[in-house]
């Protein structure tokens, strides 16, 4: 289940003026007086994520940007939807944004997806904190890691054993930077310290969806892929696949 916020600024400022942690803090602040008030301190999976603000570019008066928040927990989305108010203003860093519209909706998974924020994966032992294609380069490890994590999160959410036949995605086409690298870096605030977190974005993630695994892929679509989902990483959207 998802919420789409359309937002406008009343001043001009660069898009890097605040980070993902500011959006995360805004979400948690709207949950303060609800049954989800302790979610921030939970050591287990958070089961929500959010997109990058889009379209890309600097903030300017009258220029509308959108944010999508998703979760397989319908209670979470319903609660947040009730707390977010039309025409309210909230601060992200030192800048305020006005809510123009709020929409609550559901999407069904299709056989293809696109990333709406970078996917972040833990590195293998001895390879640093986060996986990068530049330093590791193993697509096999990347696919195995995101598959195992998705199954573990789904089993944790449902309380039932689940086994996926095959990898999470059967066809993957990355977005490649102008310098030829796949890795992108996002500066985030984690426990009061700033880090450049590497991830990857993908213009096609194709899956083999069947009646037996459709609920699983609906979960993955709304919970996010791999780690740091509650910090706005691993967000994916369903798309109609095109032949590349």
């Amino acid at each position: 289940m998802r919420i789409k916020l359309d937002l406008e600024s009343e001043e001009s400022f660069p898009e890097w003026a605040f980070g993902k942690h500011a959006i995360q803090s805004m979400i948690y602040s709207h949950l303060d007086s609800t049954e989800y008030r302790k979610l921030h301190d939970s050591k287990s999976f958070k089961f929500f994520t959010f997109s990058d603000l889009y379209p890309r570019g600097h903030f300017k008066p009258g220029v509308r940007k959108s944010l999508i928040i998703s979760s397989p927990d319908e209670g979470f989305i319903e609660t947040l939807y009730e707390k977010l108010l039309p025409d309210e203003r909230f601060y992200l860093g030192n800048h305020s944004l006005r809510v123009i519209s709020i929409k609550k909706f559901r999407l069904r998974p299709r056989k293809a997806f696109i990333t709406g924020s970078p996917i972040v994966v833990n590195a293998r032992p001895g390879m640093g904190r986060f996986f990068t294609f530049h330093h590791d380069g193993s697509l096999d490890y990347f696919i195995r890691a995101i598959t195992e994590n998705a199954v573990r999160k789904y089993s944790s959410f449902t309380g039932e054993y689940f086994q996926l036949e095959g990898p999470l995605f059967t066809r993957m086409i990355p977005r490649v930077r102008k310098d030829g690298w796949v890795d992108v870096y996002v500066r985030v605030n984690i426990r009061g310290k700033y880090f450049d977190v590497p991830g990857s974005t993908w213009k096609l993630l194709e899956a083999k969806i069947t009646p037996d695994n459709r609920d699983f892929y609906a979960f993955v679509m709304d919970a996010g892929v791999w780690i740091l989902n509650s910090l706005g990483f691993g967000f994916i959207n369903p798309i109609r696949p095109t032949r590349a």
Side-chain angles (χ1 to χ4, degrees):
M1 200 168 182
R2 299 181 167 210
I3 295 172
K4 180 186 177 187
L5 296 173
D6 290 331
L7 308 165
E8 281 187 7
S9 170
E10 296 179 348
E11 58 176 328
S12 297
F13 56 91
E15 62 178 335
W16 44 259
F18 57 84
K20 287 179 169 294
H21 52 281
I23 298 175
Q24 183 194 57
S25 295
M26 179 274 292
I27 293 172
Y28 283 135
S29 69
H30 281 78
L31 299 172
D32 274 348
S33 60
T34 75
E35 63 181 295
Y36 294 92
R37 63 188 180 279
K38 296 182 179 180
L39 182 63
H40 180 270
D41 298 323
S42 172
K43 301 299 182 183
S44 59
F45 298 121
K46 305 294 196 299
F47 300 121
F48 79 89
T49 189
F50 54 87
S51 69
D52 290 342
L53 281 162
Y54 65 94
R56 297 292 303 271
H58 294 335
F59 292 82
K60 298 178 181 178
V63 175
R64 187 169 299 189
K65 291 182 178 288
S66 297
L67 171 73
I68 299 176
I69 305 166
S70 67
S71 174
D73 182 346
E74 292 192 7
F76 174 92
I77 293 295
E78 293 285 359
T79 300
L80 190 59
Y81 181 77
E82 290 176 3
K83 291 296 182 179
L84 288 163
L85 303 175
D87 261 349
E88 81 166 281
R89 286 176 172 80
F90 51 74
Y91 275 85
L92 298 176
N94 296 319
H95 303 281
S96 67
L97 295 177
R98 183 166 66 92
V99 177
I100 303 300
S101 67
I102 307 172
K103 178 184 178 182
K104 180 178 60 176
F105 63 103
R106 290 183 177 86
L107 291 177
R108 290 177 59 83
R110 293 175 173 165
K111 72 174 185 177
F113 304 89
I114 188 172
T115 52
S117 66
I119 294 174
V120 177
V121 171
N122 281 335
R124 289 188 275 193
M127 299 290 289
R129 183 172 184 181
F130 300 112
F131 171 91
T132 67
F133 284 97
H134 178 70
H135 291 101
D136 191 307
S138 174
L139 182 60
D140 287 342
Y141 168 76
F142 182 89
I143 294 173
R144 185 172 67 254
I146 63 174
T147 301
E148 292 174 354
N149 177 268
V151 170
R152 187 164 63 250
K153 280 193 296 192
Y154 182 67
S155 295
S156 175
F157 184 76
T158 62
E160 300 175 357
Y161 173 78
F162 177 80
Q163 184 174 355
L164 181 67
E165 298 295 332
L168 183 62
F169 301 117
T170 56
R171 184 169 179 244
M172 306 174 68
I173 301 177
R175 293 192 182 279
V176 181
R177 296 181 348 194
K178 292 181 180 180
D179 58 10
W181 294 109
V182 174
D183 303 306
V184 296
Y185 290 82
V186 180
R187 176 150 289 191
V188 300
N189 183 334
I190 301 178
R191 300 182 185 90
K193 295 183 179 180
Y194 284 89
F195 297 87
D196 288 326
V197 175
S200 55
T201 57
W202 302 79
K203 57 185 178 181
L204 179 66
L205 298 167
E206 203 165 271
K208 185 177 181 180
I209 298 180
T210 69
D212 291 334
N213 66 27
R214 187 173 299 278
D215 287 346
F216 167 77
Y217 277 101
F219 167 86
V220 172
M221 182 179 67
D222 283 340
V225 178
W226 237 82
I227 61 169
L228 302 184
N229 302 141
S230 66
L231 199 51
F233 289 98
F235 181 93
I236 60 173
N237 267 324
I239 58 170
R240 294 186 182 278
T242 57
R243 291 297 140 194

